[in-house]
Amino acid sequence: MSVTTPAGRLVSAFGDVEKMSALYAPDIEWSLSASLPYPRPMKGREAVIAFNRSVWEDVYFPDCTIEILDEIGGESLSAVRFIYRARYRASGLPYENEYTLFARGGPEGIREVFEALDTLAIFDQMKGEEKGTAFSRLTE
């Protein structure tokens, strides 16, 4: 699938922080799921690039793959639903999760990113458990 939107170009560049940062406006803001321990939003190129570097230098290896399931929108507002596959640096174990990402853009590049993911799936996989285990424990 060829990407046609800012959101599609951004997720296709995941793992390559230099390529990602070339897409950003100077005043970019990036928001993650509220349950994750990051400022909401992270504001400015420096903060967002530092976050990107942390993701692919501390948490995951940069040789990740993206499978775009849906892509909609245009240059000013776009969205993608995708599968992200990577390996954890700490354990070498594989990671796979479904994400949704919205991007708002302008003449200077991407101004806003809203990234949502299945946070319980992260915890299950970090513990080496099957997806859905944490949720099952919560509903017992």
Side-chain angles (χ1 to χ4, degrees), residues 1 7-8 10-14 56 60 63-71 80-86 94-101 115-118 121 125 131:
M1 170 185 245
L10 179 58
V11 302
S12 294
F14 273 17
W56 287 288
Y60 304 108
D63 59 345
C64 58
T65 60
I66 305 300
E67 178 184 348
I68 295 178
L69 305 171
D70 295 295
E71 180 183 24
V80 289
R81 184 175 66 93
F82 63 99
I83 304 292
Y84 173 74
R85 294 179 180 95
Y95 170 78
E96 179 178 311
N97 205 350
E98 185 172 324
Y99 288 67
T100 304
L101 184 138
E115 181 183 355
L117 60 143
D118 182 344
Q125 291 180 67
K131 288 183 192 175

